Amino acid sequence: MIAPNILNDFAETAFFWAALVFMVAVSIAGLGALRLSLKGEAVTALMGVSSFTTVAGVGLYLISLPELFNVGFARDTAIALLVLGTVGTIIFARLFRTEG
Amino acid sequence: MYEEIFTLIYAAIVMAFVAWTIRKGSFIVDPSRLAIYAAFIFAALLAILILLGVDIGIAASALMKLGAAGILFAGTIPIIAATVGFFRFGEEYGPNIFYARNHIAGVIDTDCSLVMIFVGILIFRFDLVAVGFFFFLLLPFSGNALANAYYYSYQRRLNK
């Protein structure tokens, strides 16, 4: 007979550590994206910023989950970063696209 | 204490499998078969837990949360590999390095969106699924727009 709380403890610990490891990986990817956005020509910088908004948005969304840190207001920032980051990248890429 | 040891073993197995797949360059287990195997393992574990006397709701929720943890562990390895690529490939590879970097950025974006979708499904957070799916739909347009902008604004001028 397995007590239900033991099973839940196993699942919650695994989920917590998995999310934490994922957030650390995403933060390191954010550093790489930031480095890319600070060098090279304009389109490379735009790509770096786009990648940074993605990783920041996903990290913030994970922070906002009630199963993890339950920081409710991070969710709105995450949605804004994910949606506006991608849409903004498309719009700015269209602006950069000049025939020279 | 036992929970952390279990998590460590679980993480090691999942991450080693994903790293092996990336190292090999092709799927070790075909994704369509892998989904069937995962469903079979889930059903078998659920049946075992029910036979041991655990309530079906608690058992299913715990197993799905374990699956979500596995997806998060699996998603970590491609992101780390892509980050190494970001730092590894510098300007010495010429103007075409932009396309390699665009591919690397695409790997990070796709990995993040797929993790959001599947983790959201497994922990019953459908707002996470909706945002992840919207993001997943916009990704190809973003990558294509960036490559297009680079070609017409910079590389074409360079070739003249």
PDB file of all heavy atoms in Angstrom, chain A residues 65-90:
ATOM      1  N   LEU A  65       3.889  29.949 -12.428  1.00  0.00           N
ATOM      2  CA  LEU A  65       3.042  28.768 -12.178  1.00  0.00           C
ATOM      3  C   LEU A  65       2.822  28.543 -10.678  1.00  0.00           C
ATOM      4  O   LEU A  65       3.764  28.642  -9.895  1.00  0.00           O
ATOM      5  CB  LEU A  65       3.698  27.514 -12.775  1.00  0.00           C
ATOM      6  CG  LEU A  65       3.705  27.396 -14.295  1.00  0.00           C
ATOM      7  CD1 LEU A  65       4.400  26.114 -14.706  1.00  0.00           C
ATOM      8  CD2 LEU A  65       2.309  27.427 -14.855  1.00  0.00           C
ATOM      9  N   PRO A  66       1.601  28.226 -10.274  1.00  0.00           N
ATOM     10  CA  PRO A  66       1.350  27.984  -8.847  1.00  0.00           C
ATOM     11  C   PRO A  66       2.085  26.761  -8.302  1.00  0.00           C
ATOM     12  O   PRO A  66       2.344  26.675  -7.113  1.00  0.00           O
ATOM     13  CB  PRO A  66      -0.160  27.744  -8.791  1.00  0.00           C
ATOM     14  CG  PRO A  66      -0.692  28.115 -10.095  1.00  0.00           C
ATOM     15  CD  PRO A  66       0.406  28.148 -11.074  1.00  0.00           C
ATOM     16  N   GLU A  67       2.435  25.810  -9.190  1.00  0.00           N
ATOM     17  CA  GLU A  67       3.177  24.628  -8.745  1.00  0.00           C
ATOM     18  C   GLU A  67       4.615  24.963  -8.372  1.00  0.00           C
ATOM     19  O   GLU A  67       5.270  24.195  -7.680  1.00  0.00           O
ATOM     20  CB  GLU A  67       3.198  23.556  -9.840  1.00  0.00           C
ATOM     21  CG  GLU A  67       1.889  22.867 -10.097  1.00  0.00           C
ATOM     22  CD  GLU A  67       1.009  23.626 -11.073  1.00  0.00           C
ATOM     23  OE1 GLU A  67       1.381  24.761 -11.451  1.00  0.00           O
ATOM     24  OE2 GLU A  67      -0.058  23.100 -11.441  1.00  0.00           O
ATOM     25  N   LEU A  68       5.108  26.117  -8.860  1.00  0.00           N
ATOM     26  CA  LEU A  68       6.501  26.476  -8.585  1.00  0.00           C
ATOM     27  C   LEU A  68       6.571  27.656  -7.600  1.00  0.00           C
ATOM     28  O   LEU A  68       6.396  27.471  -6.418  1.00  0.00           O
ATOM     29  CB  LEU A  68       7.228  26.785  -9.899  1.00  0.00           C
ATOM     30  CG  LEU A  68       7.315  25.593 -10.853  1.00  0.00           C
ATOM     31  CD1 LEU A  68       7.809  26.028 -12.201  1.00  0.00           C
ATOM     32  CD2 LEU A  68       8.235  24.551 -10.273  1.00  0.00           C
ATOM     33  N   PHE A  69       6.752  28.871  -8.117  1.00  0.00           N
ATOM     34  CA  PHE A  69       6.963  30.010  -7.213  1.00  0.00           C
ATOM     35  C   PHE A  69       5.720  30.876  -7.040  1.00  0.00           C
ATOM     36  O   PHE A  69       5.706  31.752  -6.182  1.00  0.00           O
ATOM     37  CB  PHE A  69       8.136  30.856  -7.724  1.00  0.00           C
ATOM     38  CG  PHE A  69       9.412  30.081  -7.797  1.00  0.00           C
ATOM     39  CD1 PHE A  69       9.929  29.675  -9.014  1.00  0.00           C
ATOM     40  CD2 PHE A  69      10.076  29.705  -6.645  1.00  0.00           C
ATOM     41  CE1 PHE A  69      11.088  28.934  -9.080  1.00  0.00           C
ATOM     42  CE2 PHE A  69      11.235  28.970  -6.701  1.00  0.00           C
ATOM     43  CZ  PHE A  69      11.743  28.582  -7.915  1.00  0.00           C
ATOM     44  N   ASN A  70       4.727  30.680  -7.898  1.00  0.00           N
ATOM     45  CA  ASN A  70       3.432  31.364  -7.776  1.00  0.00           C
ATOM     46  C   ASN A  70       3.566  32.894  -7.744  1.00  0.00           C
ATOM     47  O   ASN A  70       2.948  33.562  -6.911  1.00  0.00           O
ATOM     48  CB  ASN A  70       2.708  30.864  -6.513  1.00  0.00           C
ATOM     49  CG  ASN A  70       1.233  31.121  -6.606  1.00  0.00           C
ATOM     50  OD1 ASN A  70       0.715  31.457  -7.665  1.00  0.00           O
ATOM     51  ND2 ASN A  70       0.539  30.990  -5.492  1.00  0.00           N
ATOM     52  N   VAL A  71       4.384  33.432  -8.645  1.00  0.00           N
ATOM     53  CA  VAL A  71       4.501  34.892  -8.770  1.00  0.00           C
ATOM     54  C   VAL A  71       3.516  35.305  -9.858  1.00  0.00           C
ATOM     55  O   VAL A  71       3.840  35.279 -11.044  1.00  0.00           O
ATOM     56  CB  VAL A  71       5.944  35.310  -9.133  1.00  0.00           C
ATOM     57  CG1 VAL A  71       6.078  36.810  -9.166  1.00  0.00           C
ATOM     58  CG2 VAL A  71       6.915  34.720  -8.150  1.00  0.00           C
ATOM     59  N   GLY A  72       2.315  35.672  -9.459  1.00  0.00           N
ATOM     60  CA  GLY A  72       1.221  35.860 -10.413  1.00  0.00           C
ATOM     61  C   GLY A  72       1.475  36.910 -11.470  1.00  0.00           C
ATOM     62  O   GLY A  72       1.146  36.714 -12.636  1.00  0.00           O
ATOM     63  N   PHE A  73       2.088  38.041 -11.068  1.00  0.00           N
ATOM     64  CA  PHE A  73       2.222  39.138 -12.041  1.00  0.00           C
ATOM     65  C   PHE A  73       3.240  38.837 -13.125  1.00  0.00           C
ATOM     66  O   PHE A  73       3.273  39.515 -14.146  1.00  0.00           O
ATOM     67  CB  PHE A  73       2.552  40.453 -11.330  1.00  0.00           C
ATOM     68  CG  PHE A  73       3.839  40.436 -10.547  1.00  0.00           C
ATOM     69  CD1 PHE A  73       5.045  40.680 -11.180  1.00  0.00           C
ATOM     70  CD2 PHE A  73       3.833  40.188  -9.191  1.00  0.00           C
ATOM     71  CE1 PHE A  73       6.229  40.668 -10.463  1.00  0.00           C
ATOM     72  CE2 PHE A  73       5.017  40.178  -8.466  1.00  0.00           C
ATOM     73  CZ  PHE A  73       6.207  40.409  -9.098  1.00  0.00           C
ATOM     74  N   ALA A  74       4.090  37.813 -12.932  1.00  0.00           N
ATOM     75  CA  ALA A  74       5.076  37.468 -13.959  1.00  0.00           C
ATOM     76  C   ALA A  74       4.397  36.924 -15.217  1.00  0.00           C
ATOM     77  O   ALA A  74       4.957  36.984 -16.306  1.00  0.00           O
ATOM     78  CB  ALA A  74       6.058  36.440 -13.419  1.00  0.00           C
ATOM     79  N   ARG A  75       3.171  36.419 -15.044  1.00  0.00           N
ATOM     80  CA  ARG A  75       2.466  35.807 -16.174  1.00  0.00           C
ATOM     81  C   ARG A  75       2.146  36.830 -17.274  1.00  0.00           C
ATOM     82  O   ARG A  75       2.331  36.562 -18.456  1.00  0.00           O
ATOM     83  CB  ARG A  75       1.177  35.187 -15.642  1.00  0.00           C
ATOM     84  CG  ARG A  75       0.378  34.443 -16.645  1.00  0.00           C
ATOM     85  CD  ARG A  75      -0.722  33.657 -15.943  1.00  0.00           C
ATOM     86  NE  ARG A  75      -1.745  33.288 -16.891  1.00  0.00           N
ATOM     87  CZ  ARG A  75      -2.833  34.006 -17.115  1.00  0.00           C
ATOM     88  NH1 ARG A  75      -3.038  35.117 -16.459  1.00  0.00           N
ATOM     89  NH2 ARG A  75      -3.718  33.605 -17.989  1.00  0.00           N
ATOM     90  N   ASP A  76       1.699  38.034 -16.860  1.00  0.00           N
ATOM     91  CA  ASP A  76       1.364  39.068 -17.844  1.00  0.00           C
ATOM     92  C   ASP A  76       2.615  39.519 -18.600  1.00  0.00           C
ATOM     93  O   ASP A  76       2.584  39.694 -19.826  1.00  0.00           O
ATOM     94  CB  ASP A  76       0.722  40.265 -17.148  1.00  0.00           C
ATOM     95  CG  ASP A  76      -0.517  39.848 -16.377  1.00  0.00           C
ATOM     96  OD1 ASP A  76      -1.133  38.850 -16.777  1.00  0.00           O
ATOM     97  OD2 ASP A  76      -0.845  40.511 -15.370  1.00  0.00           O
ATOM     98  N   THR A  77       3.703  39.694 -17.862  1.00  0.00           N
ATOM     99  CA  THR A  77       4.967  40.083 -18.502  1.00  0.00           C
ATOM    100  C   THR A  77       5.413  39.007 -19.485  1.00  0.00           C
ATOM    101  O   THR A  77       5.875  39.316 -20.586  1.00  0.00           O
ATOM    102  CB  THR A  77       6.066  40.278 -17.433  1.00  0.00           C
ATOM    103  OG1 THR A  77       5.507  40.928 -16.314  1.00  0.00           O
ATOM    104  CG2 THR A  77       7.213  41.057 -17.961  1.00  0.00           C
ATOM    105  N   ALA A  78       5.246  37.738 -19.076  1.00  0.00           N
ATOM    106  CA  ALA A  78       5.676  36.630 -19.935  1.00  0.00           C
ATOM    107  C   ALA A  78       4.864  36.608 -21.229  1.00  0.00           C
ATOM    108  O   ALA A  78       5.428  36.454 -22.321  1.00  0.00           O
ATOM    109  CB  ALA A  78       5.514  35.314 -19.194  1.00  0.00           C
ATOM    110  N   ILE A  79       3.535  36.769 -21.107  1.00  0.00           N
ATOM    111  CA  ILE A  79       2.693  36.753 -22.318  1.00  0.00           C
ATOM    112  C   ILE A  79       3.064  37.920 -23.228  1.00  0.00           C
ATOM    113  O   ILE A  79       3.199  37.761 -24.448  1.00  0.00           O
ATOM    114  CB  ILE A  79       1.201  36.795 -21.930  1.00  0.00           C
ATOM    115  CG1 ILE A  79       0.819  35.496 -21.228  1.00  0.00           C
ATOM    116  CG2 ILE A  79       0.325  36.993 -23.151  1.00  0.00           C
ATOM    117  CD1 ILE A  79      -0.576  35.497 -20.664  1.00  0.00           C
ATOM    118  N   ALA A  80       3.272  39.100 -22.628  1.00  0.00           N
ATOM    119  CA  ALA A  80       3.652  40.272 -23.431  1.00  0.00           C
ATOM    120  C   ALA A  80       4.978  40.034 -24.134  1.00  0.00           C
ATOM    121  O   ALA A  80       5.118  40.331 -25.338  1.00  0.00           O
ATOM    122  CB  ALA A  80       3.728  41.501 -22.535  1.00  0.00           C
ATOM    123  N   LEU A  81       5.955  39.475 -23.414  1.00  0.00           N
ATOM    124  CA  LEU A  81       7.266  39.228 -24.024  1.00  0.00           C
ATOM    125  C   LEU A  81       7.169  38.231 -25.167  1.00  0.00           C
ATOM    126  O   LEU A  81       7.746  38.440 -26.241  1.00  0.00           O
ATOM    127  CB  LEU A  81       8.234  38.682 -22.970  1.00  0.00           C
ATOM    128  CG  LEU A  81       8.999  39.706 -22.133  1.00  0.00           C
ATOM    129  CD1 LEU A  81       9.771  38.997 -21.050  1.00  0.00           C
ATOM    130  CD2 LEU A  81       9.961  40.478 -23.008  1.00  0.00           C
ATOM    131  N   LEU A  82       6.432  37.135 -24.939  1.00  0.00           N
ATOM    132  CA  LEU A  82       6.373  36.077 -25.957  1.00  0.00           C
ATOM    133  C   LEU A  82       5.648  36.543 -27.213  1.00  0.00           C
ATOM    134  O   LEU A  82       6.101  36.319 -28.328  1.00  0.00           O
ATOM    135  CB  LEU A  82       5.688  34.838 -25.377  1.00  0.00           C
ATOM    136  CG  LEU A  82       6.528  34.030 -24.391  1.00  0.00           C
ATOM    137  CD1 LEU A  82       5.690  32.977 -23.714  1.00  0.00           C
ATOM    138  CD2 LEU A  82       7.683  33.377 -25.120  1.00  0.00           C
ATOM    139  N   VAL A  83       4.510  37.202 -27.019  1.00  0.00           N
ATOM    140  CA  VAL A  83       3.705  37.591 -28.191  1.00  0.00           C
ATOM    141  C   VAL A  83       4.312  38.808 -28.881  1.00  0.00           C
ATOM    142  O   VAL A  83       4.582  38.783 -30.093  1.00  0.00           O
ATOM    143  CB  VAL A  83       2.245  37.870 -27.758  1.00  0.00           C
ATOM    144  CG1 VAL A  83       1.449  38.395 -28.923  1.00  0.00           C
ATOM    145  CG2 VAL A  83       1.618  36.596 -27.213  1.00  0.00           C
ATOM    146  N   LEU A  84       4.569  39.873 -28.102  1.00  0.00           N
ATOM    147  CA  LEU A  84       5.071  41.100 -28.732  1.00  0.00           C
ATOM    148  C   LEU A  84       6.498  40.929 -29.243  1.00  0.00           C
ATOM    149  O   LEU A  84       6.885  41.558 -30.226  1.00  0.00           O
ATOM    150  CB  LEU A  84       4.996  42.264 -27.747  1.00  0.00           C
ATOM    151  CG  LEU A  84       3.572  42.642 -27.296  1.00  0.00           C
ATOM    152  CD1 LEU A  84       3.621  43.806 -26.338  1.00  0.00           C
ATOM    153  CD2 LEU A  84       2.702  42.973 -28.482  1.00  0.00           C
ATOM    154  N   GLY A  85       7.292  40.069 -28.586  1.00  0.00           N
ATOM    155  CA  GLY A  85       8.655  39.817 -29.056  1.00  0.00           C
ATOM    156  C   GLY A  85       8.656  39.230 -30.447  1.00  0.00           C
ATOM    157  O   GLY A  85       9.380  39.692 -31.334  1.00  0.00           O
ATOM    158  N   THR A  86       7.811  38.231 -30.657  1.00  0.00           N
ATOM    159  CA  THR A  86       7.766  37.579 -31.981  1.00  0.00           C
ATOM    160  C   THR A  86       7.156  38.501 -33.035  1.00  0.00           C
ATOM    161  O   THR A  86       7.698  38.637 -34.142  1.00  0.00           O
ATOM    162  CB  THR A  86       6.949  36.287 -31.880  1.00  0.00           C
ATOM    163  OG1 THR A  86       7.300  35.600 -30.694  1.00  0.00           O
ATOM    164  CG2 THR A  86       7.202  35.389 -33.061  1.00  0.00           C
ATOM    165  N   VAL A  87       6.041  39.143 -32.676  1.00  0.00           N
ATOM    166  CA  VAL A  87       5.393  40.039 -33.647  1.00  0.00           C
ATOM    167  C   VAL A  87       6.319  41.212 -33.974  1.00  0.00           C
ATOM    168  O   VAL A  87       6.464  41.612 -35.137  1.00  0.00           O
ATOM    169  CB  VAL A  87       4.036  40.526 -33.079  1.00  0.00           C
ATOM    170  CG1 VAL A  87       3.419  41.564 -33.984  1.00  0.00           C
ATOM    171  CG2 VAL A  87       3.079  39.360 -32.915  1.00  0.00           C
ATOM    172  N   GLY A  88       6.978  41.757 -32.937  1.00  0.00           N
ATOM    173  CA  GLY A  88       7.912  42.865 -33.151  1.00  0.00           C
ATOM    174  C   GLY A  88       9.081  42.463 -34.029  1.00  0.00           C
ATOM    175  O   GLY A  88       9.532  43.250 -34.861  1.00  0.00           O
ATOM    176  N   THR A  89       9.570  41.238 -33.858  1.00  0.00           N
ATOM    177  CA  THR A  89      10.672  40.759 -34.707  1.00  0.00           C
ATOM    178  C   THR A  89      10.250  40.736 -36.168  1.00  0.00           C
ATOM    179  O   THR A  89      10.998  41.177 -37.052  1.00  0.00           O
ATOM    180  CB  THR A  89      11.086  39.338 -34.274  1.00  0.00           C
ATOM    181  OG1 THR A  89      11.407  39.361 -32.902  1.00  0.00           O
ATOM    182  CG2 THR A  89      12.275  38.845 -35.055  1.00  0.00           C
ATOM    183  N   ILE A  90       9.038  40.230 -36.409  1.00  0.00           N
ATOM    184  CA  ILE A  90       8.554  40.160 -37.800  1.00  0.00           C
ATOM    185  C   ILE A  90       8.439  41.573 -38.387  1.00  0.00           C
ATOM    186  O   ILE A  90       8.883  41.838 -39.510  1.00  0.00           O
ATOM    187  CB  ILE A  90       7.195  39.417 -37.856  1.00  0.00           C
ATOM    188  CG1 ILE A  90       7.388  37.959 -37.434  1.00  0.00           C
ATOM    189  CG2 ILE A  90       6.605  39.475 -39.250  1.00  0.00           C
ATOM    190  CD1 ILE A  90       6.105  37.210 -37.223  1.00  0.00           C
TER     191      ILE A  90
END
